[in-house]
Amino acid sequence: ADPLDRINYAVALAREGKSAEALAQLDRLLSDAPPDSDPLKLADVHALKGAMTTGDPVAAIESFETALGLNSSHAEALNNFAWLLVTSEQSGIYNPRRAVELARKAVRLRPDETNFQGTLAVALAGDGQDDEAAAVLVEAQRLGPINGNVNPQLPDLVRAAQSRHTAKP
């Protein structure tokens, strides 16, 4: 079958809550990929796999790292990887400094993307860069209505990241 159809099928499975089946579909797609496959398209599949691997952050990190190894400018992989790093409850995964680095790159690639600005705001807050986090939060909130992507919880997420930074030993 057409790879795009297989990707769309995996997305549909994930939306139905069938994450294991969706991930298996992506794994089959990757294993069936010819050796001369377009690395940018493979990066898309690995980035999608990382985004779908919410229950296993180590596997998600591996997928994001692979995606970025194939395409270091994959904006969605950068953003989603940053989000994972700054929101993880696992101390071995939580890494706001790296999240800032990844989120900054995503925002440089797509400065008008509301979600990317929001991720950067949370990452900056998690890294203790409160003044810049506040400025980026304002930009994310400005872009939300323009992009039809308003997140009313974003200020709370930034405050939670600030609190987590302040509370760390």
Side-chain angles (χ1 to χ4, degrees), residues 125-148:
D127 195 40
Q129 300 179 49
D130 294 343
D131 291 341
E132 190 175 356
V136 174
L137 173 61
V138 168
E139 179 63 3
Q141 291 176 312
R142 182 189 73 78
L143 288 170
I146 294 169
N147 295 332

Side-chain angles (χ1 to χ4, degrees), residues 78-126:
L78 289 162
N79 181 70
N80 292 336
F81 192 3
W83 186 256
L84 171 67
L85 294 177
V86 76
T87 60
S88 178
E89 294 298 322
Q90 295 182 27
S91 62
I93 304 293
Y94 181 71
N95 187 341
R97 176 149 294 145
R98 179 133 191 248
V100 168
E101 171 191 320
L102 296 166
R104 280 191 200 282
K105 188 168 183 182
V107 167
R108 276 194 303 274
L109 292 165
R110 297 203 357 226
D112 293 334
E113 178 60 47
T114 306
N115 288 338
F116 294 5
Q117 292 282 350
T119 297
L120 179 57
V122 173
L124 287 163

Side-chain angles (χ1 to χ4, degrees), residues 1-25:
D2 177 47
L4 184 56
D5 289 341
R6 292 172 73 181
I7 291 170
N8 289 335
Y9 179 61
V11 170
L13 287 169
R15 286 186 178 148
E16 291 177 5
K18 300 176 181 177
S19 298
E21 291 175 56
L23 291 169
Q25 179 70 21

